[in-house]
Amino acid sequence: MAETQPRIVIDAIDVHYGAVQALFGVSLTVGAREVVAVLGGNASGKSTTIKSVLGLVRPTKGTITLDGAPVNGQRPDAIIARGVASVPEGRRVFPEMSVYENLLLGAYPRRREARELAGDLERVYDAFPRLKERRAQLAGTMSGGEQQMLALARAWLRKPTLVCIDEPSMGLSPRFVDQVYEVLQSWKAQGITILLVEQNARMALELADRAYVLQHGRVAVSGTARDLASDPQVRKAYLGAA
Ligand SMILES: Nc1ncnc2c1ncn2[C@@H]1O[C@H](COP(=O)(O)OP(=O)(O)OP(=O)(O)O)[C@@H](O)[C@H]1O
Ligand SMILES: [Mg+2]
């Protein structure tokens, strides 16, 4: 695979939920090692876009390719098996399982590489001392911020080359938001490709290379993160500028 081949190409997709149309001709690309943010208000279609890439919803029109091969009609597990990790909206940890068990589940596809896995688990515990301290605690009793860290650590243990993340800062205090973004920054430095859905445009635009703004299921604006951060309309609508 050429380094220049995009990881994700979404080409003019429509998505319907029954009679409701959620996406209208959305196109978006994510290059290798790129961080791309999808911004927009509630119900603008951000999660639907990410779910389309993961095979959780099927576009009624248009195509999606991952590393040059179509994903249309593929099941989520087949897509995940192509090196993609997902950090879904609302973290989705297994509440009745311990922190340690949740981490092991993240590493499940790698169960044969026991020794390497032990090293990676140590690295996770170094990066997230709280998870080490709390490894026996039931995940459902962790705070929202702790659960988000667990969801990120679990995704990283799969050794993904591409991660799809839906609103990692939702409901977190500024301190935890900073921690989440430190993790994402380190993933970017490791060369992991990131498709990031966020309402927190300020944080997302600091991290991202490029961004797309969705409005009512359509791409309203797109460009480099730097250009969008200084775009008057984006600043007014999403960055709280006058
Ligand atoms: N399973 C579903 N069934 C019916 N409609 C749905 C379903 N999922 C999403 N929708 C609708 O599709 C539209 C886009 O939803 P989506 O979840 O993609 O928005 P979003 O931008 O992620 O919003 P939020 O910021 O609130 O998470 C909304 O109008 C929503 O009601
Ligand atoms: Mg959403």
Side-chain angles (χ1 to χ4, degrees), residues 46-47 89 166-167 197:
K46 304 182 301 299
S47 296
E89 197 171 12
D166 198 346
E167 303 220 33
V197 159

Side-chain angles (χ1 to χ4, degrees), residues 71-224:
V71 301
N72 296 50
Q74 266 197 318
R75 285 164 39 126
D77 50 346
I79 293 166
I80 293 290
R82 292 165 68 172
V84 183
S86 157
V87 183
E89 197 171 12
R91 5 273 188 211
R92 303 283 162 85
V93 300
F94 294 94
E96 301 297 333
M97 298 178 114
S98 71
V99 166
Y100 173 71
E101 287 163 340
N102 269 276
L103 289 172
L104 277 195
L105 275 176
Y108 173 74
R110 302 178 49 210
R111 64 197 181 283
R112 289 206 187 83
E113 329 153 27
R115 183 173 306 176
E116 199 189 312
L117 192 57
D120 284 347
L121 207 51
E122 275 314 305
R123 270 191 286 285
V124 161
Y125 284 150
D126 285 345
F128 303 94
R130 182 77 66 108
L131 295 184
K132 183 172 194 175
E133 242 170 64
R134 305 291 178 88
R135 61 187 180 277
Q137 185 173 329
L138 292 186
T141 64
M142 305 266 282
S143 78
E146 290 168 343
Q147 288 186 27
Q148 187 65 63
M149 293 301 158
L150 175 56
L152 291 171
R154 185 176 62 179
W156 185 80
L157 272 176
R158 297 202 52 237
K159 291 229 163 155
T161 57
L162 170 63
V163 189
C164 296
I165 310 171
D166 198 346
E167 303 220 33
S169 67
M170 187 166 51
L172 303 189
S173 68
R175 188 170 67 91
F176 270 105
V177 172
D178 285 347
Q179 283 184 30
V180 163
Y181 274 84
E182 276 170 31
V183 172
L184 301 187
Q185 195 72 54
S186 86
W187 288 1
K188 181 181 182 178
Q190 292 167 41
I192 297 175
T193 304
I194 300 175
L195 176 60
L196 170 69
V197 159
E198 261 291 11
Q199 282 202 46
N200 188 334
R202 191 178 305 278
M203 295 302 282
L205 288 175
E206 273 179 32
L207 177 79
D209 299 303
R210 290 187 305 111
Y212 296 78
V213 179
L214 292 184
Q215 254 169 17
H216 308 301
R218 292 181 166 86
V219 175
V221 197
S222 65
T224 65

Side-chain angles (χ1 to χ4, degrees), residues 15-23 38-51 57 89 166-167 170 197-199 214 216-217:
V15 172
H16 291 80
Y17 295 104
V20 177
Q21 185 165 358
L23 296 184
V38 177
L39 312 174
N42 287 121
S44 59
K46 304 182 301 299
S47 296
T48 300
T49 302
I50 235 173
K51 284 177 183 166
V57 300
E89 197 171 12
D166 198 346
E167 303 220 33
M170 187 166 51
V197 159
E198 261 291 11
Q199 282 202 46
L214 292 184
H216 308 301

